[in-house]
Amino acid sequence: MRRLMPLLALAASGCAGVQSMTGGAGLGSRQFNTLMLAFLIVTGLAYLFVLLFLGGAFVRRRRENVGNFMRPLLIGWTAFILVGIALLTLLSCLDDRQSALAGTGQPPLKIEITANQWWWQVTYQDPMASRTLITANELHLPVGRPVEITLKASDVIHSFWVPGLAGKQDLIPGRTNHIRLLPRRIGLLRGQCAEFCGMQHAHMALDVIVESPARFAAWYAAQLRPASPPATALAQAGQAWFLSHQCVTCHSIAGTTAGGRTGPDLTHVASRRTIAAGTLPMNPGSLAGWIANPQGPKPGNHMPTIAMSGAELSAVVAYLGSLE
Amino acid sequence: MTRPEDLPRDGPALQGEELHRRLSVTWGRAPGLWGWLMTVDHKEVARRYLITALAFFSFGGVLALMMRIQLATPESGLIDPDRYNQIFSMHGTTMMFLFAVPVMEAMAIYLVPLMVGTRAIAFPRLNAFSYWLYLAGGVMIWIAFILNVGPEAGWFTYVPLAGPEYSPGKRTDFWAQMVTFTEVAALAVAVELVATIVKQRAPGMSLDRMPLFVWSILVTALMVIFSMPAVALASGMLISDRLVATHFFNAAEGGSALLWQHLFWFFGHPEVYIIFLPGLGFVSQITETFCRRPVFAYPAMVAALLLTGLLAFGLWVHHMFATGLPRLGYAFYTAASMAIALPSGVQIFCWIATMWESRPRLEIPMLYVIGFIVTFVIGGITGVMVASVPLDLELHDTYFVVAHFHYTLIGGAVFPLLGALTYWFPKMTGRMMGKRMGLTAFALVFLGFHLTFMPMHFVGMMGMPRRVYTYPASMGWEGLNRLSTVGAFVLAIGLLVFAGNLALSLRRGRLAGPNPWNAASLEWAPASPPPPYNFAHIPVVGGHTPLWDDHGRLTYMSGLRVDDRELLLTTAIDATPDLREPSPTPTIWPLLAALATTGLFIWSIFDPWAVVWGSIPVAITLTLWFWPKSREPATEPVIE
Amino acid sequence: MSKPSSFAGDLSGLPTHAFGARSLTWWGVIAYMLIEGTAFALAGASYLFLMSQEQNWPPARLPDLLAGTLFTVVILLSELPNIILKKAAEKEDLAQVRRWLIVLDLIGLLLLVIRGFEFQMINVRWNDNAYGSIAWALLLLHTVHILTDWVDSAVLTALMFTPHGKGRRFVDVSEDCLYWRFVWLTWLPIYLLLYWAPRVA
């Protein structure tokens, strides 16, 4: 079974990509592969029977007394379906139970995610308020430690889904949902909103980095630090421009006066892989393109186009690019 | 006044050509446009439904091709997100509300009265009225779409996205009101079909001798009756949240987004069985004819239809597995969703068993039956997969599900429909469809379908979600998407060939007699196409296969009026003759009432008071519709 | 049709109208009741669903009992003339049918007036909150039933005073009575939900 799994995954998805559900990077995804195999076997047998039975009707030449074996065969077929369904239902329930009981005995990492049109607010929770971390659109997880995520939505229904780790859960305004994850393999994964949420549903992705506990702790510590003050003159000019314009209405940068919460937190934006919820890579070029014209790559999103000169744009890009 | 005994009636004294001439006058309508607008002939109304539904099918298909062109390339800039979101919403809406249900209704309206041996459908004026409402709803939503005010929140319009705050303007209101139009029409047709099947069957056609297609329609009509009110209620609540600030779905004031989902899916799940069950009825009739045998295990087949209809109402939460409801509750819906595979599995067995009893003639309709079996079972299999909560939580809202429901809907309903159109085309038109074009169409449709939708299972498992107007180049999804796009065009060409065959055969098809396939059910007794009165004399039925029994000689009951429209009512279970029922003559009031109702529905999108003022013309037209004609007392005499 | 057909029997002796399940329109009325009944059941379920999601129910003042209870009493009492009318119709007694149709038309008017007061006395508006919305929805759905049945009865009353008042029209009256029964039967659970569920919750 263990050796069959990667073969199946390969066959089914042609080299499991970062968003493939057969990747098996998390407990949920591995269980998916096993359960799917069981389903394929049982239902595959049923389909095989149907094809053979159908083919036989055309191949047989003599037609006498089919009624004699048809009735018992029908009963057998009915029994097969009933037993098959019961088995698959049981396996599904067992899978559920296994997921619920899984955990490595470590206390879970607690995260709260609030979905918005069209970005993810990620809050790492900690009993000490000073260790609560707010970031956006990117999730870092230590391998092997269970994660409990509280799911909320600020506007419409979204769905949190990292196929490589586990199944999805909806984020519904007025309700609080939960999902448990157990990452089992280090690597890069991608998640995407899986409930149609409006114009830019297609561009609401999430980068998920599963790393060793040590690297995770280092990342976490770095993220907790306030934004490093800009070193170059250009970046300083950029910060000055940023803090004196509309940007601060929506965005926060810890350690400055920018405290807006309607858009993603930018304190460590340059440390992220992508911007605009997975739409563009994080590099000066895309950053410039995004800020100059957010409606270009993601038409209909809520970031307004702010008039700025080429020099102002370079400065702001330099500043934001320094926020590692 | 003439004595009842002297009124002309069909029978030994009046039959053949003379009877045909007089019945044609009584049951005919005025020629030309005026007569066409006033007709209450179920066959004419059915043809309208059929042509309109097939037209919407092609519009929905064009939308699909547009989506496939867009998705063939990653990050394609061809269609902007707003337009694309309207396109996929309109594709689903058109296919589900304007094609799939109406086309099945069309076939039922045409065939059921003929199959049960009666002269007209029950409530023929309501039938005419329902068509105009359906047309109005479809035209309204398409005009809205063309004017860029089409719905853009999916065919299922989840709130709060579809609510007043996140979908401003009238787009979603047009959608919600289109639902009202089509659901009133569908409910009206369902009522007519139930009444026809229960009360107008030919003498001797007891319930256990009804054709399997008629059983499938009876169950379908009952499902419509119990499920459509849910979507009517939901869409009414949605319009009122948007128009008059109610808070049914507004979480901030005690409403619930999940209320919408429960109500919508309580309708939405039975809806797919409403589409699917008539398809199963087609398969039964076609299999019976081309195997020259009644379908194996008739009682099991009937039980399977009833069980499917019943179970269909216990599944709806499987659309909500990701919403965070209690897991223990989900287990019931998993079990029920898998259990519904049982009756379908039994039916598949019985059809194939029928083929074992006598080698089937491989005419085109039979090819579609085989295509159906091979395709639908795959859809059933993926259905069993998504019935499992752990599997569904990965597969939900991905292209895997898109593959699943196209396998079941196209495999389970459209393939049988294409077979049915080929099969009953001679009855409806008096000509056969071309065989070579038919074969070409079948091959292209079958191949094109699988090429389009099989890859979607895999691209879904690779993580591609639904309802996305584009996707990144780095995901590795474009290969499979491109394959689907090619397949879609092959499928489209196949359907064009089928449509071309339909059009050409209308003019140049080989002439067909009453029963070119040598079938057993009653609709094959009258001429092709049938006269307006269907049957010159009411036939008597002695078994499952009336036209095969007794060397094809039917026995009749005489005595119905010839100079006034009259049909026979029989008892509900045993079909013993009970009453003579007058049948309405052509009238313009159904059209006028439909116009008044259309005014009411469209006006109320813009102004809540329309519900009050707009009701007045509706009340007036309905009253005049039902007001008896002055000459009616003359049709009453009874021989006591 | 060149060969002469063989006949197993003759239908000319059959009557042209009958009451109850023998009537075609009866099945139409039953189907309509199933449709409307389902809509009511789902609206009631929606009420209970919304109630289960709320801490305080109602999140507003309790509805006053007077108008609603008065309505219930009157509509229940209306079953008495309804029974008389139905029997009269089935006996095809024109004079009785005319009399009792008018009585029921007047009762219907009275009920509509009381219903008007009910909308005020439930002490909440449709746009206040979800409770108000569903309460108004239930009340409005039922009012539409009273209204459509009333218009139906009014038209029938007029008909029975014309030369058309014979034969099949008695079947129409009988089925109208059947439908009226449905109207007050569906009111009972709605009354309990609207006026007593908030008091018990």
Side-chain angles (χ1 to χ4, degrees):
Chain A
M1 191 64 65
R2 277 271 205 78
R3 264 180 286 140
L4 211 53
M5 279 290 73
L7 274 174
L8 188 78
L10 205 70
S13 61
C15 287
V18 289
Q19 200 162 314
S20 165
M21 59 181 72
T22 55
L27 175 66
S29 171
R30 284 191 195 175
Q31 288 181 305
F32 172 83
N33 288 341
T34 317
L35 194 57
M36 182 55 116
L37 184 65
F39 270 71
L40 278 170
I41 291 173
V42 174
T43 55
L45 280 171
Y47 191 53
L48 191 64
F49 169 76
V50 169
L51 289 179
L52 289 173
F53 193 36
L54 179 62
F58 292 91
V59 157
R60 279 186 85 254
R61 250 169 278 142
R62 312 229 309 164
R63 297 283 141 192
E64 74 302 300
N65 287 351
V66 290
N68 286 348
F69 69 85
M70 278 307 170
R71 232 158 281 270
L73 193 59
L74 174 57
I75 293 172
W77 170 241
T78 308
F80 173 79
I81 295 177
L82 282 171
V83 168
I85 287 172
L87 179 66
L88 296 177
T89 308
L90 184 67
L91 286 175
S92 303
C93 289
L94 286 176
D95 186 294
D96 261 354
R97 265 181 60 81
Q98 201 182 11
S99 299
L101 295 174
T104 56
Q106 290 183 48
L109 180 62
K110 289 195 180 192
I111 300 176
E112 181 180 286
I113 292 183
T114 303
N116 312 276
Q117 280 179 322
W118 294 279
W119 63 281
W120 307 90
Q121 175 169 302
V122 179
T123 308
Y124 286 79
Q125 297 178 311
D126 196 286
M128 270 177 28
S130 57
R131 285 190 57 82
T132 302
L133 170 64
I134 299 180
T135 179
N137 298 328
E138 193 171 275
L139 207 56
H140 283 245
L141 302 173
V143 69
R145 186 173 169 198
V147 186
E148 274 176 17
I149 309 185
T150 308
L151 303 167
K152 297 184 174 169
S154 67
D155 41 31
V156 300
I157 300 180
H158 301 267
S159 196
F160 173 81
W161 184 43
V162 186
L165 287 181
K168 56 185 67 72
Q169 274 294 287
D170 289 350
L171 304 95
I172 302 171
R175 275 180 76 89
T176 303
N177 276 344
H178 303 271
I179 188 171
R180 296 182 80 232
L181 302 174
L182 184 53
R184 280 257 167 91
R185 198 167 65 215
I186 290 174
L188 172 67
L189 296 167
R190 188 175 186 267
Q192 193 168 348
C193 175
E195 184 58 65
F196 183 67
C197 54
M199 185 86 80
Q200 285 300 328
H201 167 65
H203 285 134
M204 188 171 162
L206 188 71
D207 287 316
V208 179
I209 292 109
V210 180
E211 48 201 4
S212 69
R215 289 191 67 140
F216 174 76
W219 172 84
Y220 199 90
Q223 294 282 313
L224 278 179
R225 284 196 282 270
S228 28
T232 67
L234 189 61
Q236 282 162 2
Q239 180 187 55
W241 197 96
F242 186 95
L243 293 177
S244 58
H245 285 80
Q246 310 95 302
C247 324
V248 302
T249 345
C250 298
H251 294 288
S252 294
I253 299 181
T256 70
T257 52
R261 282 272 169 243
T262 44
D265 185 291
L266 297 179
T267 313
H268 297 281
V269 61
S271 72
R272 304 206 271 258
R273 286 191 76 248
T274 58
I275 54 170
T279 309
L280 298 164
M282 174 64 214
N283 61 46
S286 348
L287 201 52
W290 172 251
I291 296 171
N293 179 25
Q295 298 300 315
K298 205 165 165 178
N301 90 83
H302 298 313
M303 179 158 154
T305 309
I306 301 174
M308 52 203 319
S309 72
E312 290 167 331
L313 181 62
S314 310
V316 173
V317 169
Y319 171 57
L320 292 177
S322 75
L323 296 176
E324 295 267 351
Chain B
M1 192 155 117
T2 339
R3 293 178 308 156
E5 314 73 271
D6 296 332
L7 290 164
R9 299 169 191 279
D10 75 272
L14 184 52
Q15 52 179 305
E17 264 311 303
E18 171 68 9
L19 177 62
H20 167 72
R21 199 181 51 75
R22 294 179 69 165
L23 280 175
S24 299
V25 168
T26 306
W27 286 88
R29 59 154 174 91
L33 179 64
W34 191 238
W36 186 83
L37 290 173
M38 294 203 306
T39 191
V40 290
D41 183 339
H42 70 99
K43 302 180 286 300
E44 273 200 284
V45 175
R47 266 202 303 275
R48 282 174 200 172
Y49 260 105
L50 196 57
I51 293 171
T52 309
L54 291 175
F56 281 123
F57 183 48
S58 60
F59 299 162
V62 167
L63 294 177
L65 289 177
M66 290 169 73
M67 289 193 282
R68 286 307 337 153
I69 295 174
Q70 167 92 343
L71 293 175
T73 329
E75 292 160 24
S76 166
L78 190 66
I79 304 175
D80 68 82
D82 187 44
R83 209 58 174 137
Y84 186 90
N85 295 341
Q86 282 186 69
I87 288 173
F88 85 71
S89 304
M90 282 298 290
H91 170 76
T93 297
T94 301
M95 290 306 196
M96 296 299 276
F97 290 105
L98 302 179
F99 160 65
V101 172
V103 85
M104 296 306 181
E105 287 172 2
M107 299 299 279
I109 293 169
Y110 191 95
L111 292 169
V112 166
L114 287 164
M115 263 191 204
V116 300
T118 187
R119 287 200 172 144
I121 200 169
F123 317 130
R125 294 171 297 184
L126 186 64
N127 194 216
F129 169 79
S130 74
Y131 170 74
W132 300 118
L133 277 191
Y134 156 58
L135 181 68
V139 166
M140 175 194 72
I141 195 84
W142 269 85
I143 291 180
F145 172 63
I146 289 168
L147 294 178
N148 204 26
V149 243
E152 86 282 55
W155 85 279
F156 53 94
T157 50
Y158 273 7
V159 291
L161 180 63
E165 197 180 338
Y166 298 101
S167 279
K170 289 298 173 191
R171 292 173 159 194
T172 299
D173 302 300
F174 282 117
W175 178 89
Q177 211 59 311
M178 175 279 305
V179 167
T180 310
F181 276 109
T182 51
E183 144 269 300
V184 170
L187 282 166
V189 171
V191 172
E192 296 149 26
L193 290 170
V194 170
T196 309
I197 293 171
V198 174
K199 291 302 294 174
Q200 289 183 204
R201 300 196 310 278
M205 189 186 281
S206 49
L207 281 178
D208 61 340
R209 288 180 186 160
M210 253 175 23
L212 286 169
F213 176 70
V214 179
W215 271 111
S216 75
I217 295 300
L218 181 61
V219 177
T220 302
L222 288 170
M223 286 201 288
V224 168
I225 286 171
F226 287 110
S227 69
M228 295 243 171
V231 75
L233 193 63
S235 63
M237 288 174 167
L238 181 63
I239 294 186
S240 89
D241 263 20
R242 294 172 57 85
L243 199 60
V244 292
T246 48
H247 300 288
F248 295 107
F249 309 122
N250 180 6
E253 292 289 353
S256 169
L258 287 184
L259 178 63
W260 169 266
Q261 292 192 29
H262 279 296
L263 285 174
F264 183 82
W265 290 117
F266 186 82
F267 150 77
H269 197 81
E271 158 89 337
V272 309
Y273 288 93
I274 288 167
I275 295 168
F276 174 55
L277 247 57
L280 302 181
F282 296 150
V283 172
S284 285
Q285 298 305 132
I286 293 171
T287 305
E288 171 181 280
T289 298
F290 294 106
C291 294
R292 236 192 171 269
R293 284 272 187 298
V295 175
F296 179 78
Y298 177 93
M301 294 292 286
V302 174
L305 285 169
L306 293 171
L307 190 60
T308 305
L310 213 64
L311 276 174
F313 282 89
L315 310 188
W316 84 92
V317 176
H318 72 214
H319 298 270
M320 298 166 68
F321 279 158
T323 58
L325 297 176
R327 280 297 248 256
L328 194 60
Y330 282 155
F332 168 79
Y333 292 96
T334 294
S337 304
M338 294 210 200
I340 205 164
L342 177 64
S344 300
V346 165
Q347 289 200 298
I348 302 254
F349 182 98
C350 292
W351 286 313
I352 301 178
T354 315
M355 295 181 213
W356 273 70
E357 289 183 323
S358 139
R359 192 198 305 275
R361 291 184 284 153
L362 281 177
E363 301 280 356
I364 306 279
M366 201 61 201
L367 290 179
Y368 279 107
V369 165
I370 294 169
F372 150 78
I373 291 175
V374 165
T375 309
F376 170 73
V377 175
I378 294 177
I381 284 171
T382 54
V384 166
M385 289 174 181
V386 290
S388 155
V389 175
L391 290 182
D392 185 64
L393 289 181
E394 283 278 23
L395 299 168
H396 172 64
D397 241 290
T398 67
Y399 264 83
F400 188 93
V401 177
V402 177
H404 159 69
F405 63 69
H406 283 92
Y407 264 79
T408 46
L409 285 172
I410 299 186
V414 175
F415 282 5
L417 175 70
L418 296 175
L421 287 172
T422 311
Y423 178 63
W424 277 295
F425 184 85
K427 176 53 55 181
M428 294 181 183
T429 63
R431 291 178 184 272
M432 308 295 289
M433 281 181 73
K435 258 183 150 167
R436 270 219 313 254
M437 271 184 97
L439 208 56
T440 312
F442 171 74
L444 287 172
V445 163
F446 186 82
L447 222 72
F449 169 80
H450 285 279
L451 196 59
T452 309
F453 293 102
M454 182 51 78
M456 288 187 188
H457 294 105
F458 300 106
V459 83
M461 288 177 71
M462 288 169 75
M464 183 172 178
R466 288 173 75 171
R467 302 165 181 151
V468 289
Y469 74 95
T470 189
Y471 55 90
S474 54
M475 302 308 299
W477 295 337
E478 62 267 29
L480 291 171
N481 268 290
R482 220 155 270 165
L483 212 55
S484 289
T485 303
V486 170
F489 277 90
V490 174
L491 175 58
I493 293 171
L495 290 170
L496 275 170
V497 172
F498 188 93
N501 194 6
L502 268 174
L504 285 172
S505 306
L506 271 173
R507 300 291 168 84
R508 299 193 282 166
R510 188 166 48 90
L511 286 173
N515 194 357
W517 305 114
N518 230 317
S521 41
L522 278 180
E523 79 272 22
W524 299 101
S528 298
Y533 53 85
N534 294 350
F535 297 91
H537 313 284
I538 300 297
V540 177
V541 161
H544 279 119
T545 48
L547 296 192
W548 288 344
D549 299 337
D550 208 18
H551 309 288
R553 269 184 57 93
L554 279 175
T555 322
Y556 300 96
M557 300 287 268
S558 59
L560 287 184
R561 295 278 303 277
V562 165
D563 54 351
D564 269 303
R565 298 183 174 213
E566 198 169 73
L567 45 82
L568 176 66
L569 297 185
T570 56
T571 56
I573 299 182
D574 288 320
T576 48
D578 193 28
L579 287 173
R580 289 176 297 123
E581 176 82 2
S583 191
T585 50
T587 159
I588 198 67
W589 288 109
L591 173 59
L592 295 177
L595 284 170
T597 312
T598 301
L600 165 66
F601 286 168
I602 295 186
W603 188 8
S604 57
I605 293 175
F606 300 96
D607 181 2
W609 283 108
V611 175
V612 173
W613 302 119
S615 304
I616 296 174
V618 175
I620 294 173
T621 48
L622 286 178
T623 305
L624 290 168
W625 164 344
F626 286 108
W627 197 265
K629 308 236 184 345
S630 51
R631 62 177 189 75
E632 236 192 57
T635 73
E636 278 298 318
V638 169
I639 304 171
E640 299 292 4
Chain C
M1 294 251 215
S2 43
K3 280 191 295 216
S5 313
S6 62
F7 294 95
D10 190 83
L11 304 166
S12 35
L14 293 176
T16 54
H17 71 270
F19 293 90
R22 296 175 69 193
S23 149
L24 189 63
T25 41
W26 185 90
W27 291 87
V29 174
I30 295 292
Y32 187 67
M33 288 200 260
L34 289 174
I35 293 168
E36 297 300 315
T38 306
F40 276 128
L42 290 168
S46 303
Y47 182 99
L48 292 169
F49 180 82
L50 289 171
M51 186 169 97
S52 70
Q53 313 266 312
E54 277 294 299
Q55 304 279 42
N56 294 327
W57 191 267
R61 291 167 53 200
L62 281 173
D64 290 338
L65 282 176
L66 178 62
T69 311
L70 183 61
F71 182 94
T72 308
V73 168
V74 174
I75 204 172
L76 282 175
L77 287 175
S78 74
E79 175 62 10
L80 297 168
N82 195 41
I83 292 174
I84 299 175
L85 177 58
K86 194 164 193 287
K87 286 212 164 77
E90 281 156 22
K91 282 190 302 217
E92 303 199 18
D93 181 341
L94 185 58
Q96 285 265 62
V97 163
R98 285 173 171 174
R99 185 177 310 136
W100 291 101
L101 266 175
I102 292 178
V103 168
L104 279 164
D105 289 342
L106 291 171
I107 295 179
L109 270 176
L110 174 64
L111 285 168
L112 284 169
V113 168
I114 304 176
R115 177 52 54 81
F117 282 103
E118 264 191 280
F119 275 105
Q120 290 179 302
M121 294 183 85
I122 53 172
N123 297 325
V124 71
R125 286 164 63 83
W126 71 92
N127 53 1
D128 283 343
N129 43 49
Y131 161 76
S133 304
I134 191 69
W136 272 71
L138 281 167
L139 214 50
L140 208 60
L141 274 175
H142 192 261
T143 308
V144 169
H145 277 75
I146 306 253
L147 254 174
T148 50
D149 188 86
W150 190 86
V151 171
D152 218 1
S153 298
V155 170
L156 261 179
T157 312
L159 257 179
M160 295 319 271
F161 281 90
T162 67
H164 295 297
K166 58 209 287 212
R168 309 182 63 84
R169 302 283 80 81
F170 288 110
V171 179
D172 294 341
V173 174
S174 162
E175 286 164 4
D176 192 47
C177 295
L178 182 65
Y179 188 69
W180 183 250
R181 210 164 277 170
F182 172 74
V183 172
W184 65 256
L185 275 168
T186 48
W187 170 245
L188 293 176
I190 297 175
Y191 170 69
L192 288 172
L193 266 182
L194 277 178
Y195 292 96
W196 293 100
R199 292 179 153 82
V200 167

